[in-house]
Amino acid sequence: MASRPPENWRAWMAQVARDVEAGILGPECASAAEMYPESLLRATDSVLEAFEAEMRGLVKPSDEEVFGAVERVVLALNAVDRDLRHSGARFCTEEREQLCEYVDLTLGEHGVNVAALLARRGIDRAGITDAWRDW
């Protein structure tokens, strides 16, 4: 899958379908772009857009401010994942990993030295969302 959703979650899923068609991804990924209802995609986009907006609003954020933003985005994604209005669709393993990477990349794009931040907290790179993540 793409390292980062290009514009939004729907665009990301469309890219997955194109990558499967081009042979970049295996056929086992083909259903990923089709298994998410529009309501889940819109809700996920909304959460990620809010996270990016929050990060844009932070100037030289403290560790607490950064972790507060991470906590809020993860809790909001937990709510999206549990929402019954999505016909039982939930984030799968690959998408969970990509969402964690999205959080990491978004922090970096907004000037956060993620490696240093996590080192100060004794957290490994893959664990940035673990304290709050249900998905």
Side-chain angles (χ1 to χ4, degrees):
M1 294 185 77
S3 294
R4 177 169 172 86
E7 295 174 23
N8 58 45
W9 191 266
R10 288 184 297 275
W12 191 14
M13 290 295 106
Q15 183 63 48
V16 169
R18 287 191 295 275
D19 288 351
V20 169
E21 188 173 318
I24 296 168
L25 294 174
E28 68 279 1
C29 298
S31 64
E34 300 168 0
M35 66 188 211
Y36 295 111
E38 188 67 20
S39 63
L40 179 78
L41 299 175
R42 277 193 313 271
T44 303
D45 283 346
S46 178
V47 167
L48 297 177
E49 289 167 5
F51 174 58
E52 289 184 11
E54 181 175 3
M55 290 307 302
R56 276 191 303 276
L58 297 176
V59 179
K60 295 187 180 184
S62 67
D63 289 1
E64 289 72 27
E65 288 173 310
V66 172
F67 275 105
V70 171
E71 178 180 9
R72 284 184 286 284
V73 71
V74 171
L75 293 176
L77 288 168
N78 287 347
V80 168
D81 191 52
R82 288 190 307 262
D83 193 331
L84 300 176
R85 292 177 290 179
H86 307 310
S87 304
R90 300 187 74 170
F91 302 129
C92 294
T93 302
E94 286 185 50
E95 287 69 37
R96 292 177 192 132
E97 291 170 2
Q98 294 296 330
L99 286 167
C100 292
E101 185 176 351
Y102 188 97
V103 169
D104 185 302
L105 291 171
T106 298
L107 294 174
E109 288 174 358
H110 290 89
V112 175
N113 181 333
V114 178
L117 171 76
L118 296 176
R120 287 190 295 272
R121 295 285 176 107
I123 299 171
D124 73 16
R125 194 77 182 228
I128 193 166
T129 62
D130 287 355
W132 309 283
R133 186 164 54 94
D134 291 340
W135 31 272

